[in-house]
Amino acid sequence: MITGSMFRDALISGANNITAQKQQIDELNVFPVPDGDTGTNMSMTINAAARELARLSDDCTVSEAASCAASALLRGARGNSGVILSLIFRGIAKGLADCKTATSEDLARGLLMGTESAYKAVMKPTEGTILTVIRLTSKKANAFLETNSEFIPFWEFVCKASKDALAKTPEILPVLKKAGVVDAGGKGLTVIFDGMMSVFRDGVIIAAEGAEAAPVAAKKESNIADFEEEINFTYCTEFIVQREKGNERDPLALRAYLESIGDCVVVVDDESIIKVHVHTDNPGKALQQGLKYGMLTNMKIENMREQFENRVSAESSAPTAPEYVKVDPEIPYGFVSVCAGEGVAQLFSDLGVDKIVSGGQTMNPSTDDILAAVQSVPAKTVFVLPNNKNIIMAAEQAVPLADREVRVLHTRTIPQGLSAMLCFDCDLSADDNQKEMMKAAENVGSGQITFAARDSDYEGHKIKEGELLALENGKLSFVETDLQKAAVKLTRSLIKKTSSFVTILYGEGISQEEAESMVSALKEKISDEIDVSLVKGDQPVYYYIISVE
């Protein structure tokens, strides 16, 4: 049996363990492109939970610790591996609901629920990944209880079963076998479980040797206390309600009450918490009403008039986080796009995107980053363009957390995102726009030229670190050593008989002269009827991003 403080410390230990080993996990990635690697994403995701867990007192219950972790993991999730990790622990939290302490049976039930949550969230689950590891582990863990229900032997078996499942991943997924590695996400999960074992068995929290601070500027929770509008009420009041099982009160009623005593009301709820923000002259009344729904945590009351008077006119030049704004009924649609590079961001802004989330291949933003951007757009319906396959799941997790309608377009590349925006029609319904925008995104040809981050043998290509990789619609097309030749060859491959337009975004480190020389070489190889546009994108990682329509 374990206590709440033991479970809290175990998760912190697991976070420290994967932080210390994230580089080794990153190196297991088969695809050699520089990206937001698995170990880094999983480390940043679980460390979001570790920071919240560190605030819990020693008398917390297992249920409170698990719920705190699940909520923080959800908001801090980065990349597909981070989202899946958050869903596993969200299921575990469901299995530990109402548990003051936890037994082996409770954790075994939680592992099964975590497996179910993770599989449900993935449209096309791929076996031989972290999904396989958690599925086989949870199945064997529950079978183990038939012979031994003591907790320490049980969790030792969980750790062993997860490693056994991990060892099978190369036999299930051929690309892993060919590369001679196991699945990186599955490896990350085993490392976290081992870190938890250190606390359960030995009472020792593994130190995060070599840990680095997450590269995210410190900011207020969801940034909803930041505002630039007339102050109608004095106190900015925020708190989180830990929802009580069996309490069927509707959070919409809480929202209605808060709107009667203030403004800038936000009530965001999920299965375990209700997150509340309100500007009011009566913070005590807001707290009293919140108590009707459950226990209050993370309470904060600030005098906004005093803050405004003390605000320094010359603020830091560091990038500021998005500011929360309430929905304007007169604004039907808004847009959030994820991208990197000033030129690329300007293109999206020119096409009507309201808020840019800085991120992309090597910088996968968290669910909370995307949520904050959504909450800063005053529209009733906000379309989100992730523009990267490893960001889509994190964006999807923001949908139920927002206080306005959110629709995530599954754009996987920058060209897809730009084509989707070009197709938007303000006179169409949200459903029709979503269909037409995705149809446009799927019809554009996307090309990218980047470099190999590591030696690899991938899909028949023997790749050396530093060589140029040509990606055609997300898949490796060929390997090259000459940048201009690679860009011309890839663009020609993307051009079809029906193609009319080519847009080329050149990245940081590429001079205008180099880019113009490449375009000149391209025009010698293609029809004069095809219009070629050159744009300074300033994007990192990719020397060229190519769009063909």
Side-chain angles (χ1 to χ4, degrees), residues 332-333 335 351 383 419-434 436-437:
Y333 300 120
F335 304 90
L351 290 173
F383 289 96
S419 292
M421 284 303 302
L422 282 166
C423 188
F424 173 74
D425 186 342
C426 61
D427 293 326
L428 295 180
S429 68
D431 285 340
D432 287 341
N433 262 311
Q434 187 165 357
E436 293 303 316
M437 292 172 78

Side-chain angles (χ1 to χ4, degrees), residues 339-350:
C339 64
E342 290 185 13
V344 178
Q346 188 60 53
L347 280 176
F348 277 107
S349 295
D350 291 345

Side-chain angles (χ1 to χ4, degrees), residues 367-387:
T367 294
D368 204 40
D369 293 332
I370 297 169
L371 175 63
V374 167
Q375 299 284 76
S376 74
V377 178
K380 292 191 292 184
T381 299
V382 179
F383 289 96
V384 177
L385 297 94
N387 304 325

Side-chain angles (χ1 to χ4, degrees), residues 316-523:
S316 167
S317 60
T320 55
E323 299 169 350
Y324 169 80
V325 295
K326 54 189 175 183
V327 173
D328 184 340
E330 300 299 317
I331 303 177
Y333 300 120
F335 304 90
V336 168
S337 177
V338 181
C339 64
E342 290 185 13
V344 178
Q346 188 60 53
L347 280 176
F348 277 107
S349 295
D350 291 345
L351 290 173
V353 168
D354 301 279
K355 189 64 62 174
I356 301 294
V357 177
S358 181
Q361 189 67 8
T362 59
M363 305 173 292
N364 297 157
S366 69
T367 294
D368 204 40
D369 293 332
I370 297 169
L371 175 63
V374 167
Q375 299 284 76
S376 74
V377 178
K380 292 191 292 184
T381 299
V382 179
F383 289 96
V384 177
L385 297 94
N387 304 325
N388 187 293
K389 66 179 182 179
N390 207 34
I391 299 174
I392 293 173
M393 285 187 71
E396 292 280 11
Q397 299 307 302
V399 174
L401 300 176
D403 67 346
R404 58 209 70 190
E405 183 181 12
V406 179
R407 291 173 178 255
V408 178
L409 301 175
H410 288 200
T411 53
R412 296 169 175 266
T413 64
I414 293 298
Q416 284 193 346
L418 294 172
S419 292
M421 284 303 302
L422 282 166
C423 188
F424 173 74
D425 186 342
C426 61
D427 293 326
L428 295 180
S429 68
D431 285 340
D432 287 341
N433 262 311
Q434 187 165 357
K435 292 176 184 177
E436 293 303 316
M437 292 172 78
M438 277 311 303
K439 186 185 296 183
E442 290 163 358
N443 286 335
V444 67
S446 298
Q448 298 155 315
I449 304 290
T450 186
F451 59 92
R454 60 185 72 87
D455 291 346
S456 178
D457 185 351
Y458 185 78
E459 293 187 348
H461 301 276
K462 289 193 177 297
I463 304 165
K464 293 182 179 180
E465 181 178 347
E467 286 186 322
L468 299 173
L469 306 177
L471 308 179
E472 184 173 340
N473 297 315
K475 295 184 178 181
L476 180 60
S477 179
F478 59 88
V479 180
E480 185 50 88
T481 56
D482 185 288
L483 181 56
Q484 181 168 294
K485 286 182 180 179
V488 171
K489 181 178 178 180
L490 179 60
T491 307
R492 292 183 66 193
S493 177
L494 288 165
I495 293 175
K496 310 301 179 188
K497 291 182 179 180
T498 56
S499 300
S500 302
F501 302 98
V502 174
T503 303
I504 298 172
L505 308 175
Y506 62 98
E508 61 182 12
I510 301 294
S511 68
Q512 183 175 344
E513 291 75 17
E514 288 175 301
E516 289 176 346
S517 175
M518 188 278 284
V519 170
S520 295
L522 172 65
K523 286 183 176 179

Side-chain angles (χ1 to χ4, degrees), residues 211-227:
E212 297 177 1
V216 180
K219 59 183 184 294
K220 297 175 184 176
E221 185 74 16
S222 285
N223 309 298
I224 58 180
D226 294 329
F227 57 92

Side-chain angles (χ1 to χ4, degrees), residues 201-219:
R201 182 181 58 202
D202 307 320
V204 175
I205 298 177
I206 292 175
E209 297 180 5
E212 297 177 1
V216 180
K219 59 183 184 294

Side-chain angles (χ1 to χ4, degrees), residues 79-207:
N80 293 342
S81 56
V83 172
I84 291 172
L85 181 66
S86 75
L87 292 168
I88 289 172
F89 276 94
R90 188 174 187 181
I92 290 173
K94 290 180 181 179
L96 299 176
D98 299 324
C99 291
K100 185 175 181 180
T101 57
T103 63
S104 301
E105 288 82 0
D106 296 324
L107 261 297
R109 180 174 63 250
L111 289 170
L112 283 175
M113 296 179 79
T115 301
E116 183 180 356
S117 295
Y119 269 86
K120 279 184 177 179
V122 180
M123 188 174 298
K124 295 181 179 179
T126 301
E127 296 299 339
T129 65
I130 184 175
L131 293 172
T132 302
V133 174
I134 187 60
R135 177 175 59 80
L136 296 179
T137 301
S138 61
K139 181 179 180 181
K140 289 185 176 180
N142 278 268
F144 178 82
L145 293 177
E146 296 176 6
T147 57
N148 191 340
S149 62
E150 292 183 29
F151 190 82
I152 300 303
F154 166 74
W155 197 258
E156 286 178 335
F157 181 80
V158 166
C159 292
K160 180 181 182 301
S162 67
K163 293 184 180 71
D164 290 344
L166 177 66
K168 294 179 180 179
T169 56
E171 301 301 320
I172 300 172
L173 204 55
V175 68
L176 296 176
K177 186 173 185 178
K178 187 170 185 179
V181 297
V182 294
D183 177 66
K187 174 66 175 178
L189 187 63
T190 68
V191 168
I192 291 170
F193 285 168
D194 282 345
M196 296 172 69
M197 184 75 257
S198 180
V199 170
F200 292 151
R201 182 181 58 202
D202 307 320
V204 175
I205 298 177
I206 292 175

